[in-house]
Amino acid sequence: MFQQFQHIRMSSGTIDIDEFEDAEADEFEERNDTERIVLFLDEHDDLAWKAATIAERLGLDTDAVSAILSRLKERGLVRHKRPYWAITDDAKRLQSAYRLHRQHEAADDQSGEERLEALRTDEMDDIQ
């Protein structure tokens, strides 16, 4: 879906040297489990996955992955047909989620962690 995220290969442990050279300094920092799942599904947007397989590929607990996927489904960021999960086919919604996430990271970097309510925007309400 979003080619700019294809360079993140959480399970392979390698990237192309050109991708490495072109990346921002903090681009490969540790990501939280939700980010890792979304990026994994986005990178593999031509497939649907069982939660246990996603968990295995990312080295996460299956129950934790299932819970995260359920929350992502409530936000419209993944699709689910038991037992399979796939990234949303709503590119605009996914792009908005990525943009919102970057805005929250930037706010955290600038002023430290704040209460979510203080950062709430109309765009955030649309995604939730």
Side-chain angles (χ1 to χ4, degrees):
M1 243 182 215
F2 291 100
Q3 301 303 318
Q4 72 257 32
F5 296 103
Q6 283 193 335
H7 65 273
I8 299 172
R9 297 185 184 132
M10 303 307 269
S11 59
S12 73
T14 63
I15 61 170
D16 181 79
I17 195 65
D18 291 330
E19 294 174 71
F20 171 81
E21 295 297 340
D22 293 339
E24 297 293 323
D26 63 348
E27 196 161 345
F28 305 113
E29 287 183 7
E30 192 65 32
R31 301 195 179 279
N32 71 38
D33 294 346
T34 301
E35 292 172 320
R36 292 178 64 203
I37 291 168
V38 170
L39 290 169
F40 175 83
L41 290 173
D42 192 21
E43 184 176 312
H44 300 92
D45 65 350
D46 59 332
L47 300 169
W49 301 80
K50 290 184 177 181
T53 306
I54 296 169
E56 180 181 316
R57 289 284 193 98
L58 297 178
L60 301 172
D61 177 74
T62 301
D63 290 338
V65 169
S66 294
I68 291 168
L69 287 168
S70 293
R71 287 193 303 271
L72 290 169
K73 183 182 178 211
E74 289 172 7
R75 292 185 174 105
L77 297 175
V78 297
R79 297 173 284 161
H80 181 56
K81 291 183 182 177
R82 194 169 293 205
Y84 295 99
W85 296 88
I87 197 72
T88 183
D89 57 357
D90 185 343
K92 189 174 183 179
R93 185 172 195 78
L94 187 59
Q95 187 176 34
S96 292
Y98 277 127
R99 187 172 49 251
L100 177 63
H101 179 71
R102 286 191 304 271
Q103 289 171 350
H104 279 237
E105 283 184 334
D108 280 348
D109 290 346
Q110 289 176 354
S111 57
E113 289 192 32
E114 298 181 37
R115 294 184 54 221
L116 185 57
E117 288 302 317
L119 298 173
R120 186 168 297 281
T121 64
D122 291 338
E123 185 176 311
M124 183 177 179
D125 291 334
D126 291 343
I127 292 171
Q128 291 182 351

